[in-house]
Amino acid sequence: MSERVFSGATRIESVPGNDRGIAYGDGVFETMRAARGGIAWWPAHWTRLQEGARRLGITPPDPAFVRAQADELLADDDAVLKLIVTRGSGGRGYAPDAGAAPTWVLSRHALPPAAPAAGVVLRWCSTRLALQPALAGIKHCNRLEQVLARGEWNDPAAPDRDAFEGLMRSVEGDVVSATAANLFVLRTGRWWTPRIDRCGVAGVCRRWLLDDLDARESRLDVTDIETADAVFLCNAVRGILPVARLGTRTWTPHAQVAAARERLAQANPAFSAINPETT
């Protein structure tokens, strides 16, 4: 991993110990896929980061400066780029300092291993997502619910320890997303995805697919998922991931999922290297 840390426009050695991102998760972040130095969906990522910063009352850094630093860090590589923006340093206590310079960190990471060629295996997570409309949709830095959920199948006694991902529900029982991906299901000839108005992250890849698939948003329950004709996950790093199994329910490869993956690869060069037959 390579990284650069800044306070406002000044490069610094490391994130200060009194940074509010460390103390309270007081910040937002974006995780992006880069191919040959080009960043997939950069405008959409920056728009979501700005919206998250606006809701939290954080002034984000200059986008042109951030992009210039990102381009230098990537150096034409195929990689994952992560951008974290926090409120900056502050004293003890929750009250935010309106004059604090934001801390921001750019880091470059290796691409993740290829997903199973036959499709991914999912499990249901026991950890539920709390309802908080003020934070719904944005990618804020407090992701402890996802951390707890992802840790569930590290237990040697846990079922489906071979699962690639886990599906999370809200405290009211509706299905929201996977721990690190959005969810789409095909039912009665139409694609559906859970609403992200009370909790969850409104993914950048999800936004593209809502338009591409003419998909609809709705409250979905467990039965809606388990009886669907096809299911896939998506995020901005891996693109579209077909689902092969959830518990005892299995799905065979579906032509509509394969077609969506092909359109994504054509529309976004960062995903052109993801061969639907091998990843």
Side-chain angles (χ1 to χ4, degrees):
M1 181 188 74
S2 300
E3 71 175 20
R4 298 182 180 186
V5 184
F6 295 82
S7 176
T10 303
R11 190 167 178 180
I12 58 178
E13 290 298 318
S14 61
V15 177
N18 65 343
D19 188 87
R20 289 179 60 89
I22 294 175
Y24 308 117
D26 190 1
V28 291
F29 72 102
E30 294 291 328
T31 309
M32 299 159 272
R33 187 183 181 99
R36 297 175 294 280
I39 302 171
W41 290 312
W42 170 263
H45 280 291
W46 190 262
T47 296
R48 183 174 62 179
L49 183 138
Q50 282 186 306
E51 170 59 16
R54 183 195 66 77
R55 285 204 225 167
L56 297 181
I58 296 172
T59 301
D62 176 65
F65 183 57
V66 175
R67 181 58 192 264
Q69 294 294 323
D71 289 342
E72 287 184 17
L73 189 64
L74 289 169
D76 295 327
D77 287 343
D78 292 349
V80 174
L81 180 71
K82 186 167 184 177
L83 170 61
I84 303 172
V85 179
T86 79
R87 192 179 304 277
S89 299
R92 190 190 66 80
Y94 293 136
D97 179 358
T103 299
W104 52 283
V105 182
L106 275 172
S107 56
R108 185 186 68 193
H109 307 261
L111 292 176
V120 299
V121 174
L122 304 184
R123 70 190 304 276
W124 289 107
C125 297
S126 297
T127 305
R128 301 294 183 96
L129 293 166
L131 304 184
Q132 179 46 273
L135 298 176
I138 66 174
K139 206 162 186 179
H140 58 79
C141 288
N142 192 325
R143 310 247 58 99
L144 289 177
E145 293 164 324
Q146 287 81 1
V147 170
L148 289 175
R150 187 58 187 85
E152 288 179 17
W153 62 99
N154 292 339
D155 182 347
D160 286 329
R161 290 195 68 232
D162 62 336
F164 181 89
E165 252 286 14
L167 295 184
M168 300 188 70
R169 290 157 285 183
S170 76
V171 291
E172 291 191 345
D174 54 303
V175 182
V176 179
S177 64
T179 66
N182 289 117
L183 172 71
F184 282 79
V185 299
L186 182 65
R187 296 180 54 81
T188 62
R190 178 177 288 281
W191 286 101
W192 300 87
T193 191
R195 291 187 184 278
I196 308 293
D197 58 338
R198 303 189 298 176
C199 56
V201 175
V204 167
C205 188
R206 174 185 182 271
R207 178 64 266 170
W208 186 87
L209 284 161
L210 277 167
D211 295 334
D212 179 78
L213 299 172
D214 190 25
R216 297 289 185 268
E217 299 173 275
S218 179
R219 302 269 183 250
L220 299 176
D221 61 27
V222 170
T223 301
D224 291 328
I225 312 305
E226 294 180 339
T227 61
D229 298 320
V231 178
F232 70 77
L233 303 181
C234 67
N235 66 28
V237 171
R238 290 184 172 275
I240 296 170
L241 292 170
V243 173
R245 179 167 67 83
L246 171 61
T248 60
R249 175 64 204 274
T250 60
W251 289 272
T252 57
H254 198 285
Q256 288 197 41
V257 178
R261 297 187 86 190
E262 183 176 349
R263 291 194 301 274
L264 175 60
Q266 292 173 349
N268 202 317
F271 297 98
S272 62
I274 302 180
N275 187 329
E277 299 302 321
T278 60
T279 62

